[in-house]
Amino acid sequence: MAETKNITKNLQKFAGKIQKNRYMSAISNGLMSTLPFLIIGAFSTLFSALAWEPYQNLIAPIKSIIGLGSTMTTGIISLYAVFFIAYRLAQSFDKDPLIPAATALLSFLVLTPVETFDTVRAIPFQWLGAQGLFVAMFVGLLAARMYIWVVDRNWTIKMPDGVPPTVVKTFMGLIPAVLVVVVFVIIAGVFMQTSYVTVHQLIYSYLQVPLEGLGGSLGALIIALIVMQLLWMFGIHGAIVTLAIVKPIWMSLDLANLNAFEAGSPLPNIIGLAFWSIFANYAPMLAFALLLTFLAKSKQLRTIGKLGLPGTFFSIHEPMIFGIPVVMNPILAVPFILAPVVCCIIGYFATTVGLLPAPIGIYPPFGTPIFALGIIEGSWRLAFAQLLLIPVCMLIYYPFFRALDRQALVKEREAEEEARHGGGTDTEGSVVTS
C-alpha cells in the first residue's frame, strides 16, 4: 500500500510538472486556441471536396468560394499558431500579450521565404500551413520569451502620465519588438547563406518529418495510450498530460490529411488526433457504462452506470472514472488500459487493408457524439466502426465487470444485513476494491 502511494505521488508530481510547465502549456493552449479556425477550415474542406458527383456538379460554379474558408484557415494555420502560442506564453508571465504575439507573428514571417512568380512577389502557402507548424511553435515561444526578457529589464520607452493606456502599451513594446525582429532578421540572413536557405527547410527535414513518422506509427500511438490510461488510473488527467506532448505531432498529421482530401489526393496518414478520437475515446467507456446499466446486479453500480451512460456518448467519462471509481481500482486496470489499445489496433489494421478509410483530419469540438464523429471524419464506415467496437469492448470488460459486480453485491448485502441488525452501515460509499 505504501509503495502504491509513493508511485501515485511521484506520478502526480511528474504530471504536475508537465501541466504546469509554462512552455508546454503555451503550446497546448495556443494550439487549442486555433480550434475555431480549424473547424471552419475543416467544414469548408468537407463541403467543397465531398466526393459525390451530383453534389460536385451542383457546387461547381461556387466551389472555389466554398473553399476560401479552408484556404484562409487550415491553409495558413501556422500564422494562427505562432500568434496564439506567443499570446499564451506572454499571459503566463503576466504581460500584456498582444504586442508580443504580433511580434512573434512578424518574426515568423521574417523567417518565411518570399518568392517571385513572374513579376509578383508572394509568400508561398507551403510554409504557412501544416509544414510550417513546428517552426511556428519554436518562433512563438522564442520570440515571446525574448520580448518578455527585454521588458523585464526595462528596455522600454516610458511615457508621461496622462497618456492613454493604448499609446503607453504601444510605445512600451516598441524597443522589445524591434530587438526581437532584428534577431530573427539575422537568423534569416544566416540561413540564406546555407544549403537549406530557410529555417523552415531545416526544421521540416530534420525534426518535423522524423517526429511525424514516429508519431504516426501504431507503436507510438499504443505507448501514448498506455501512458494516458495509466495516469488516469492514478487519478491524473491522462489526456491533458499526454496530449500536451503528442498533440503538435498528431495535429500536423491531421492537417496533411485535410490538405490532401481537399486536393483530391490519397490521404498520407492513418494516425492523428482524429484517429485517436474515433477509435480510443468513445467505445471503451461507453461499453463499460452499458454493462453497468443493463447487467449489473449491484444497485450502486447500476445507478452509476445510468448516471454516466449519457455522457459517454459525448466522450465525457469523468462520472464513470471517479464514480465507480476506476481510479486506483486493480480490478478495472486491465480492461481500462487494454480496451482503447485494442480498438486502435483494430482500427489501424482495418484501415491498412482498405476496410475503413483514413479520417480526413477534422478535429471536432469536444462533445461531438460518437456516431456523428465518424460521419464528420468523412465516411459512414467510420461511424459504423465506432458502433461495432462497442461490443468488442464489452467482451473485454465483461469478466472484470462481473468480478466488480460480485464484490459490490457482497458489500451491499453485508451492509443490508448489518442495517437490519442495527448496524446502520452507510451503503452509499464507493465500491471497495481491495
Side-chain angles (χ1 to χ4, degrees), residues 51 59 98 106 118 155 163 173 214 230 242 246 253 262 274 308 361 375 377 405 416:
I59 67 166
L98 194 57
L106 174 55
D118 294 330
W155 298 351
V163 176
L214 177 64
L230 276 174
T242 309
V246 301
L253 295 170
E262 185 177 23
I375 298 293
E377 289 298 341
D405 191 35
E416 290 174 1

Side-chain angles (χ1 to χ4, degrees), residues 40-80:
I40 292 169
F43 280 101
S44 173
T45 298
L46 188 62
F47 292 139
S48 65
L50 189 63
W52 186 40
E53 188 174 352
Y55 175 77
Q56 287 295 322
N57 294 336
L58 177 65
I59 67 166
I62 59 170
K63 182 174 181 177
S64 60
I65 299 175
I66 297 175
L68 282 174
S70 172
T71 302
M72 294 303 165
T73 52
T74 55
I76 57 172
I77 194 61
S78 292
L79 297 182
Y80 298 102

